[in-house]
């Protein structure tokens, strides 16, 4: 089989994997647009309803410590299947939930699936695209799976609700879509099982911290945590900020402007994918993305003019979403073996979850204690600086490996 055929097969498989990620995200993000209906149905307040999404984050944090070990047992394709099974259970248990506690439990199950998927996607990309220089673009496209599913659900929720007559109808539709995705995954994604198991094999039992046994992997995990903190503050707080008297937007306008970051985030992910295929020193690219991510954090709540806020929303999407694809591409330099790369990939979500969980509470506490939204720039700047320092240290330690691999690839051609 020639190189062209191999590449074609890799892209066909990747497209299917990306579609499965989007299908998962459609189910994952069915809750935010249904929040009002869910609160009325379960007769609960906003605080309790907050757990409809927070339960997913808690589950993602818990499972992140074990995904490396699980992946060595069932492989990355098995992880993808497990993720879709979790989302199917999320929808089924949720639509049949007799009370709010069971409904929250259904969301916890969905969060477990999110942890499986976050590990499986990048690992499958590393398996399909053997040449490290060719992973930048698929990694950048993969980083859009959440945004793609979220956009589809947010824009189709009203239509599905009107067609089915209730939020339960939306849940049944999501369940049907996920079941179709499961069938396509099992029979449509062609990955050699022996090859995938060889890639993730780690020579024995894998401990939860197996992906965090080197300074290089810790540096990437910390960078991911810093990105997640900055991004999560905007995601959680922007709609509220835009509706304050400081800015003066109504609810519809605030939600619309906040969603700009999703669209520009997709654009940023695609742009950085092209950059990663052109620049040999990928650790240097990581440094550049953290500089921009820090800038995005500092400017989030500094401006009050509506025109300026729209520009900020555009820049936050562009400057933050370029970080995850760069991290995925640089994971290969944090480990010396293919199995080690898989473990680093599995460890990265640990940083993402730990960075995201405290973001909104810290930002909210600062606003309440100081009365100033602009003061949120202080922790965002500090966190961004920590991530930037870690990226610089990583470049100093691993830049030579990336450059050496790129030079070897050029010489081979």
């Amino acid at each position: 089989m020639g190189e062209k055929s191999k590449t074609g097969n890799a892209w066909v498989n990747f497209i299917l994997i990306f579609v499965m990620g989007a299908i998962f995200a459609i189910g994952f993000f069915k809750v935010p647009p249904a929040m009002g209906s869910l609160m009325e149905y379960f007769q609960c307040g906003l605080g309790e309803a907050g757990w409809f999404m927070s339960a997913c984050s808690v589950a993602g944090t818990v499972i992140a410590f074990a995904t490396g070990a699980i992946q060595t047992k069932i492989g990355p394709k098995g992880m993808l299947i497990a993720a879709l099974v979790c989302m199917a259970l999320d929808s089924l248990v949720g639509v049949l939930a007799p009370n709010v506690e069971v409904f929250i439990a259904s969301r916890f199950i969905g969060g477990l699936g999110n942890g499986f998927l976050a590990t499986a996607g990048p690992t499958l990309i590393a398996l399909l695209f053997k040449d490290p220089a060719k992973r930048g673009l698929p990694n950048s496209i993969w980083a859009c799976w959440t945004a793609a599913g979220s956009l589809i659900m947010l824009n189709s929720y009203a239509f599905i609700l009107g067609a089915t007559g209730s939020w339960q109808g939306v849940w049944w539709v999501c369940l049907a879509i996920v079941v179709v995705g499961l069938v396509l995954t099992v029979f449509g994604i062609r990955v050699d099982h022996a090859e995938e198991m060889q890639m993730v094999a780690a020579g024995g039992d894998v401990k939860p911290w197996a992906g965090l046994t080197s300074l290089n992997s810790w540096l990437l995990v910390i960078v991911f945590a810093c990105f997640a903190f900055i991004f999560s503050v905007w995601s959680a707080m922007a709609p509220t900020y835009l509706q304050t008297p400081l800015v003066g937007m109504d609810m519809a306008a605030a939600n619309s402007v906040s969603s700009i970051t999703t669209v520009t985030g997709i654009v940023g992910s695609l742009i950085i994918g092209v950059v990663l295929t052109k620049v040999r020193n990928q650790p240097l690219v990581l440094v550049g993305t953290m500089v921009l991510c820090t800038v995005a954090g500092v400017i989030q709540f500094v401006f009050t003019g509506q025109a300026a806020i729209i520009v900020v929303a555009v820049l936050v999407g562009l400057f933050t979403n370029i970080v995850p694809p760069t991290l995925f591409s640089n994971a290969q330099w944090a480990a010396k073996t293919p199995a080690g790369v898989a473990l680093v990939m599995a460890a990265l979500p640990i940083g993402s979850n730990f960075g995201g969980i405290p973001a909104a509470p810290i930002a909210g506490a600062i606003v309440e204690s100081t009365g100033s939204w602009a003061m949120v720039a202080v922790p965002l700047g500090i966190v961004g600086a920590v991530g930037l320092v870690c990226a610089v240290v990583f470049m100093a330690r691993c830049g030579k490996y990336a450059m050496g691999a790129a030079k070897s690839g050029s010489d081979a051609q």
Side-chain angles (χ1 to χ4, degrees):
M1 183 178 289
E3 181 63 29
K4 183 176 181 180
S5 297
K6 289 182 179 179
T7 301
N9 185 56
W11 277 103
V12 168
N13 277 290
F14 170 73
I15 290 171
L16 282 172
I17 292 165
F18 178 81
V19 170
M20 295 311 107
I23 286 175
F24 181 93
I26 288 171
F28 192 79
F29 287 101
K30 61 184 179 288
V31 163
M35 191 69 76
S37 299
L38 293 170
M39 291 171 62
E40 181 180 356
Y41 182 84
F42 289 111
Q43 292 296 296
C44 63
L46 185 60
E48 193 169 17
W51 281 101
F52 295 166
M53 292 303 291
S54 294
C56 299
S57 298
V58 173
T61 302
V62 172
I63 200 64
F65 290 99
T67 50
I70 296 172
Q71 187 167 240
T72 63
K73 305 299 183 183
I74 65 176
K77 181 179 176 180
M79 295 280 279
L80 179 56
I81 293 171
L84 292 171
V85 168
C86 286
M87 184 46 61
L89 290 173
D90 175 310
S91 297
L92 182 60
V93 175
V95 77
L96 299 176
N99 53 53
V100 69
E101 290 80 13
V102 174
F103 186 84
I104 291 174
S106 75
R107 298 300 290 161
F108 186 90
I109 296 171
L112 295 176
N114 191 49
F116 293 142
L117 187 60
T119 299
T123 305
L124 285 166
I125 290 172
L127 175 66
L128 293 171
F129 297 89
K130 301 295 190 299
D131 184 354
K134 295 181 179 180
R135 295 174 187 162
L137 183 57
N139 271 319
S140 67
I141 296 174
W142 170 250
C144 301
W145 67 270
T146 300
S150 175
L151 280 175
I152 293 171
M153 175 48 66
L154 289 174
N155 287 286
S156 63
Y157 179 83
F159 172 79
I160 300 173
L161 183 66
T164 61
S166 68
W167 69 265
Q168 288 96 334
V170 178
W171 261 241
W172 286 118
V173 169
C174 287
L175 176 60
I177 293 172
V178 172
V179 170
V180 172
L182 268 169
V183 174
L184 288 174
T185 299
V186 173
F187 297 104
I189 296 176
R190 301 290 184 178
V191 177
D192 183 80
H193 184 65
E195 187 177 356
E196 67 170 334
M197 296 310 295
Q198 181 181 3
M199 178 180 179
V200 299
D205 293 334
V206 180
K207 305 302 181 183
W209 292 94
L212 295 172
T213 55
S214 72
L215 176 59
N216 293 338
S217 58
W218 270 105
L219 291 169
L220 292 184
V221 168
I222 294 172
V223 172
F224 211 166
C226 293
F227 149 79
F229 184 94
I230 292 171
F231 183 78
S232 297
V233 168
W234 174 265
S235 299
M237 307 293 288
T240 302
Y241 173 66
L242 298 182
Q243 294 178 70
T244 63
L246 287 171
V247 181
M249 292 185 182
D250 60 27
M251 181 181 295
N255 289 334
S256 178
V257 171
S258 299
S259 68
I260 289 175
T261 58
T262 302
V263 178
T264 58
I266 294 174
V267 175
S269 294
L270 296 176
I271 290 173
I272 201 65
V274 175
V275 172
L276 288 167
T277 62
K278 302 296 183 181
V279 179
R280 292 183 175 184
N281 192 343
Q282 292 183 349
L284 177 61
V285 178
L286 179 62
V287 173
T289 60
M290 275 312 300
V291 170
L292 295 177
C293 186
T294 302
V295 171
V298 172
I299 67 174
Q300 285 184 12
F301 306 120
V302 173
F303 300 97
T304 57
Q306 295 190 9
I309 288 294
I310 292 174
V311 174
V312 169
V314 169
L315 294 179
V316 169
L318 284 173
F319 289 176
T320 57
N321 285 278
I322 57 179
V323 177
T326 313
L327 283 166
F328 297 146
S329 289
N330 275 284
Q332 60 195 312
W333 315 122
K336 297 180 179 180
T337 65
V341 173
L343 291 175
V344 174
M345 292 286 195
L348 286 176
I350 296 175
S352 177
N353 283 290
F354 269 104
I357 289 175
I362 290 175
I366 289 175
V367 174
E368 289 181 350
S369 62
T370 66
S372 171
W373 280 86
M375 285 299 295
V376 180
V378 175
L380 288 169
I382 292 173
V383 169
V386 171
L388 179 57
V389 169
C390 289
V392 170
V393 175
F394 182 84
M395 180 184 68
R397 291 174 59 86
C398 300
K400 57 182 179 293
Y401 301 129
M403 293 293 289
K407 185 177 185 301
S408 298
S410 298
D411 293 342
Q413 294 176 358

